[in-house]
Amino acid sequence: MSDSLVVCEVDEGLKEKLKKFRFRKETNNAAIIMKIDKDKQLVILEEEYEDISLDDLKNELPERQPRFIVYSYKYVHEDGRVSYPLCFIFCSPVGCKPEQQMMYAGSKNRLVQAAELTKVFETRNAEDLTEEWLKAKLAFFR
């Protein structure tokens, strides 16, 4: 059993929270951080943040554990337009336990589908989480 890929379900309460988050009216940056409850094999809410920059967000992430992040970002385009893309970020730092990485990687797509997100990014280093990094990633969606 240990070598089979465990795909975790998404907690029903978390699905509701993600749905509400998608339709939020606030114009500040906000984030939902999710983790896997290994015993229950469930993706659950870890923390919610309002008005948080990517710099502050990366400081909230554990150093050697993967996390899923949904980030609502106030994106000011070069021409002055403002949009609020909802980004899914899978942060799987180098140095995580392989079985933990597998569990997260195997559960990512199910969570992305449950959250109905299209802007999906991955990083192996939380230090990458900067505005420049995110803007470069979002540039592919224009």
Side-chain angles (χ1 to χ4, degrees):
M1 176 78 184
S2 64
D3 15 356
S4 65
L5 181 62
V6 178
V7 178
C8 300
E9 294 299 323
V10 181
D11 178 70
E12 287 304 317
L14 176 58
K15 283 182 187 176
E16 275 305 305
K17 188 165 283 300
L18 288 168
K19 193 177 197 174
K20 285 183 180 142
F21 193 73
R22 276 184 62 207
F23 298 108
R24 66 194 283 277
K25 301 286 185 243
E26 293 79 8
T27 57
N28 59 345
N29 294 345
I32 291 179
I33 299 179
M34 297 153 285
K35 66 180 182 179
I36 289 181
D37 180 326
K38 206 167 93 177
D39 299 331
K40 294 180 183 170
Q41 294 189 349
L42 257 187
V43 179
I44 60 170
L45 173 72
E46 181 174 50
E47 198 65 59
E48 240 182 309
Y49 298 96
E50 281 291 328
D51 204 17
I52 187 166
S53 70
L54 278 171
D55 281 338
D56 291 339
L57 183 62
K58 72 180 163 196
N59 294 330
E60 299 296 328
L61 298 173
E63 220 171 277
R64 299 213 188 286
Q65 291 181 7
R67 286 297 183 265
F68 299 121
I69 304 158
V70 176
Y71 191 61
S72 177
Y73 176 60
K74 182 178 181 177
Y75 184 21
V76 181
H77 298 262
E78 290 171 11
D79 61 6
R81 291 176 301 117
V82 178
S83 62
Y84 300 91
L86 207 51
C87 307
F88 181 92
I89 303 168
F90 173 36
C91 184
S92 180
V94 175
C96 296
K97 294 179 185 166
E99 59 273 11
Q100 209 178 20
Q101 284 181 323
M102 294 279 287
M103 192 180 271
Y104 274 79
S107 303
K108 181 188 94 171
N109 288 342
R110 183 163 289 168
L111 180 56
V112 167
Q113 288 169 344
E116 299 180 44
L117 298 172
T118 56
K119 293 169 180 64
V120 180
F121 312 124
E122 290 187 29
T123 181
R124 301 280 295 166
N125 183 352
E127 290 305 309
D128 288 345
L129 295 177
T130 63
E131 280 209 43
E132 295 73 34
W133 176 84
L134 187 57
K135 283 180 179 179
K137 295 287 186 185
L138 288 169
F140 289 109
F141 284 92
R142 279 193 273 169

